[in-house]
Amino acid sequence: MKVVRVIPCLDVENGRVVKGINFVGLRDAGDPVELAAVYDAQGADELVFLDITASSDNRQTTVDMATAVAEQVFIPFTIGGGIRTVEDARRLLRAGADKVSVNSAAVSRPELVAEIAAEFGNQCCVVAVDGRRSDRPGIESGFEVYVKGGREATGIDVVQWVRRVVALGAGEILLTSMDRDGTREGFDLAMTAAVTAAVDVPVIASGGVGSLGHFAPAVIEGGADAVLAASIFHFGEHTVAEAKAALTAAGVTVRPAG
Amino acid sequence: MLDYAIGNLRSAQKALQRAGADAHLTADADEIAAADGVVLPGVGNFGACMDALDGTGLTDQAKVAATSGRPFLGICVGMQLLYEWSDESPGRPGLGLLPGTIRLLPDGVKRPQMQWNRLAVSSHPLMRGLEGQWMYFVHSYAAQVDENVIATVDYGGPVAAAAARGNVWATQFHPEKSADAGRHLLENWVRTVADSIALLRQDHS
């Protein structure tokens, strides 16, 4: 039985959640522990924290955040952003993160994926892939890997890249459409389908959710194993429970909320 | 909790504390020998975990604790290590406390199983109140469904989710990451530890 996971994504900077969290009744909208607990209560299956801390001097704040979250929140969570070495991964995993996600550092040095998988197991090694539609030569699938938040093209084909990182030891792919991210037009279903057809590890679809109706097609047409969204949850427009109800109504199996 | 320097052990420690246990991470033989209950966590590769257990001198400690009659709980790869062998690491013996070989999940499903799944349980104190509850799984290998299995989930067929033989109990899923259902399971185990302490005191009085 495939049970699709619903995953809210939180941006953190210097150990604080940033960017438009707007729930009624929060004591502290920047407290990762309080927000994680809210999403846990709504039925979130996992959480992803994306570390956007600019200075590597402040990375310890992210480790401290992982410690605090792990002490009080008992669902799995992943931390991504700024992980460049096995040591970076080790600090976060020892602090209590269940998985780490690598993105541009893997593009610069793919061996990082193999190193993390060998040290801690494939199951905690997530590779985040930011893709855009591309008609450039050499991009056979029509989707190209981007880095630097979708600004910089790499010339790497998304489908070839996910095959390569899975061969290196990635246990999960977090696939974000940079064309759709922030548009609220729905997931890029064609890119999701191309990736889920290419690899046999779980794939998280991300980028573009604007309404509850956007979740199920990522699973039914895109073949995704999990769906990730940020703003639709953060602004209190919709709860995770509502997302799960929409998935269930479309015939997708989820862990019931609450 | 046997601390053999693998991944995330803190979550399991915190979850056990929340369930009422005075849980310590330790590799100290005296502390393990004095414990009322012992937890063997595990994450990653079977052979790597066995190597790490050997490397920290905990392989014998684990066997002694499990055969002492005290409550013993294996979690995730910590469950798999209890068996004799694993196809993940051919030729590398496990602890051999439960009979059988750990095998790859069936064809036709994604490996790893990385999701929540719903338990079908048999009558056992660890599973009390947990029929139909959802637990979080991350694994590519599992024990075979045999007479020691006390819970299964459907993943390309019935997959072993928990096993028990005497005082040695184990879960393939992560109770420490399974929200309230996981807390309930850990409370079941902690209650068993408390009951066994009470029994020991009676015997001595």
Side-chain angles (χ1 to χ4, degrees), chain A residues 1-5 40 44-46 67 70-77 93-99 120-123 171-172 196 199-203 223 225 253-256, chain B residues 3-11 14-16 18 25 43-45 48 109-118 134-136 138-139 154-157 175-180:
Chain A
M1 181 170 61
K2 169 167 154 178
V3 182
V4 169
R5 291 166 283 152
D40 176 14
D45 295 307
E46 292 185 17
T67 305
E71 283 183 6
Q72 295 185 50
V73 180
F74 297 92
I75 57 173
F77 67 96
L93 294 168
R94 284 294 287 185
D98 299 282
K99 304 184 238 181
F120 311 109
N122 298 22
Q123 83 291 336
E172 187 170 46
T196 56
V199 295
D200 54 11
V201 299
V203 175
D225 302 278
T253 305
V254 297
R255 175 178 70 117
Chain B
D3 182 2
Y4 55 110
I6 53 154
N8 172 13
L9 298 174
R10 282 180 56 82
S11 299
K14 292 291 167 192
L16 276 160
R18 189 174 67 143
L25 289 167
V43 67
N45 175 281
V109 292
K110 288 212 178 183
R111 298 184 289 240
Q113 169 172 224
M114 188 183 284
Q115 62 173 24
W116 296 71
N117 209 333
R118 191 172 53 206
W134 296 77
M135 300 288 185
Y136 186 78
V138 184
H139 65 128
D154 171 23
Y155 197 64
E176 77 278 17
K177 289 291 168 179
S178 297
D180 289 343

Side-chain angles (χ1 to χ4, degrees), chain A residues 65-101:
Chain A
M65 183 201 76
T67 305
V69 171
E71 283 183 6
Q72 295 185 50
V73 180
F74 297 92
I75 57 173
F77 67 96
T78 302
I79 296 185
I83 296 158
R84 313 217 146 260
T85 65
V86 167
E87 270 317 303
D88 293 340
R90 186 191 315 278
R91 276 194 289 275
L92 293 167
L93 294 168
R94 284 294 287 185
D98 299 282
K99 304 184 238 181
V100 290
S101 156

Side-chain angles (χ1 to χ4, degrees), chain B residues 158-177:
Chain B
V159 168
R165 191 191 211 195
N167 60 307
V168 178
W169 302 357
T171 68
Q172 178 58 65
F173 52 85
H174 286 273
E176 77 278 17
K177 289 291 168 179

Side-chain angles (χ1 to χ4, degrees), chain B residues 25-36:
Chain B
L25 289 167
T26 182
D28 179 78
D30 292 337
E31 196 172 5
I32 296 164
D36 299 313

